[in-house]
Amino acid sequence: MLSTRVLGEQEMRRLVAAVGLHALMDETIAALERTLARFDPAHTELRKREGFQYQHPFPGVLEWMPVMEVGRQAVIKLVGYNPANVEGRGLPTILSTISLYDVTTGHLRALCDGTFPTALRTGAASAVASRHLARPDSRVLGLVGCGAQAVTQAHALSRLFPLERLLVHDRHPETARGFARRVDFLGLPVEAVPLERVEREADILCTATSVEVGAGPVISGTHLQPHVHINAVGSDLPGKTELPLDLLRRALVCPDYLPQALVEGECQQLQPGEIGPSLFELARASELGRRHHGRPTVFDSTGIALEDQVVIEVLLTHAQNLGIGRLLQLESLADDPRDPYGFLRTEGVLPEAARTDYRTQVTACES
């Protein structure tokens, strides 16, 4: 009998308690770097995300992000991006689910909360990029935008760099002030400071904002350290950008996935000849980034389904080993694969259902 493993909030809580949050982040970073370095488009088909953009009742996006390993599995994430969620509904800006399918049968093997894994893998992607682009002795992390994504940016980068201070800024001062509580597990001092100070002092700077389309940039780019590395996380729509054009033109800009970044990342501001190596290329050849440690570097992070595949594989491996997850039979299966009603016969439903006349029932109710 085919079953689907379901990992929701309760299961995630049990899994993290058993494995450890730091261990999960470390494993995700390592698995993502290996997957990027070994990526072969002949064996793994990656697609740009697609979806619906809407304005009512509030501006938002509903998107799907697919990736397929030929002959093995497909992972599809459905993600909702709704900036009004936090203040208006008390919900995260990003809500999502991740599904994993056996491509040889079409069977849904796993269904997983995507909100926690999305945050985890987005932080991990910045860590992989920063390992190749930032100075290894970076000690000051600056965060512009102090929402959910900023938490995992700080977490992931703290696993690879000898960070001593976190400088944070948000257009909502109360969000910046509350950031220290959300990252207290890191044991690092956090200061909510003016934007100019973040720019002046950060060795690594992450922009993770919900800036509106056409309202960027979110930093000036004029006070930066000469060696600064920037992880630009917030651009995910055409016309939505966080960094000024003059900064991009004097920096080495490295996208996660160029076809997507040209449409909705920081790279949409640039010509193809102005763009540096991709994250895939960096993972295969570290020297492509390390030779630029004396100048600004930018990781244009738009988010790709390959990252979702990596994180769900990490989580599912632990869930299976620990016996965590609800096993449900979702698909209607029967002994005769040619009979779509066959599953109704097992409990004797079909003969009874066939005798029931809905129109007769409605007439009887109305009378």
Side-chain angles (χ1 to χ4, degrees):
M1 181 179 296
L2 297 177
S3 61
T4 300
R5 187 176 297 270
V6 179
L7 300 177
E9 180 184 319
Q10 294 180 1
E11 290 76 23
M12 287 295 184
R13 189 181 296 118
R14 289 176 55 201
L15 193 154
V16 173
V19 178
L21 187 58
H22 288 334
L24 273 179
M25 179 60 83
D26 293 347
E27 191 173 346
T28 302
I29 293 170
L32 179 58
E33 182 143 25
R34 286 195 305 271
T35 300
L36 290 164
R38 297 171 183 172
F39 178 77
D40 181 353
H43 296 101
T44 302
E45 296 186 22
L46 182 61
R47 296 283 187 269
K48 293 185 296 183
R49 59 171 163 245
E50 297 181 355
F52 303 105
Q53 185 174 352
Y54 51 87
Q55 298 298 320
H56 302 288
F58 302 100
V61 177
L62 190 66
E63 302 173 314
W64 45 92
M65 303 172 62
V67 61
M68 182 183 74
E69 283 189 70
V70 176
R72 181 170 176 253
Q73 66 182 20
V75 171
I76 301 174
K77 182 169 76 173
L78 188 69
V79 55
Y81 170 75
N82 293 279
N85 270 1
V86 176
E87 300 298 328
R89 302 182 181 95
L91 297 172
T93 299
I94 295 174
L95 289 174
S96 62
T97 53
I98 303 174
S99 51
L100 185 149
Y101 299 86
D102 179 346
V103 299
T104 63
T105 63
H107 167 55
L108 175 61
R109 286 179 45 211
L111 182 63
C112 178
D113 157 59
T115 305
F116 169 69
T118 295
L120 196 67
R121 62 79 153 157
T122 305
S126 289
V128 171
S130 299
R131 190 202 300 271
H132 299 285
L133 295 171
R135 292 202 328 195
D137 61 347
S138 296
R139 285 176 165 76
V140 180
L141 173 62
L143 295 162
V144 178
C146 298
Q149 293 296 336
V151 174
T152 54
Q153 294 291 303
H155 183 202
L157 291 165
S158 74
R159 305 304 297 165
L160 297 186
F161 295 90
L163 298 182
E164 297 175 351
R165 291 184 294 144
L166 305 183
L167 302 180
V168 303
H169 178 84
D170 194 283
R171 62 181 176 179
H172 301 293
E174 65 277 9
T175 302
R177 288 194 295 268
F179 189 74
R181 177 189 59 79
R182 286 179 275 133
V183 294
D184 56 5
F185 65 96
L186 297 179
L188 291 170
V190 179
E191 296 180 70
V193 300
L195 178 59
E196 182 177 333
R197 187 173 165 201
V198 177
E199 293 193 44
R200 284 189 183 281
E201 299 184 29
D203 297 308
I204 302 174
L205 194 157
C206 301
T207 56
T209 71
S210 295
V211 63
E212 295 81 6
V213 171
V218 300
I219 66 172
S220 71
T222 59
H223 310 298
L224 299 169
Q225 295 273 8
H227 61 268
V228 70
H229 168 63
I230 300 174
N231 297 304
V233 177
S235 293
D236 52 12
L237 288 171
K240 180 181 177 184
T241 57
E242 294 183 311
L243 305 184
L245 178 57
D246 62 338
L247 168 60
L248 294 172
R249 283 181 169 161
R250 71 175 189 269
L252 176 72
V253 179
C254 301
D256 49 8
Y257 182 49
L258 183 58
Q260 184 169 280
L262 285 169
V263 176
E264 54 186 62
E266 298 298 327
C267 287
Q268 64 187 296
Q269 301 186 67
L270 299 173
Q271 297 300 315
E274 298 176 294
I275 300 169
S278 70
L279 188 58
F280 296 91
E281 294 169 303
L282 290 174
R284 287 192 290 265
S286 294
E287 67 275 5
L288 293 177
R290 289 174 181 165
R291 66 176 64 144
H292 295 275
H293 280 177
R295 63 182 287 201
T297 56
V298 172
F299 171 48
D300 188 4
S301 175
T302 60
I304 53 177
L306 191 69
E307 297 163 0
D308 300 308
Q309 174 185 301
V310 167
V311 73
I312 194 174
E313 286 183 334
V314 168
L315 294 169
L316 277 176
T317 298
H318 286 297
Q320 291 163 355
N321 291 339
L322 295 166
I324 293 174
R326 287 166 283 174
L327 298 179
L328 304 179
Q329 184 180 347
L330 297 179
E331 291 119 341
S332 300
L333 304 174
D335 293 336
D336 184 355
R338 296 179 178 84
D339 184 357
Y341 298 156
F343 76 101
L344 299 172
R345 300 179 188 278
T346 58
E347 301 295 332
V349 173
L350 184 57
E352 183 65 31
R355 287 193 293 269
T356 301
D357 189 327
Y358 173 71
R359 290 168 297 179
T360 302
Q361 288 181 327
V362 171
T363 302
C365 291
E366 289 176 346
S367 63

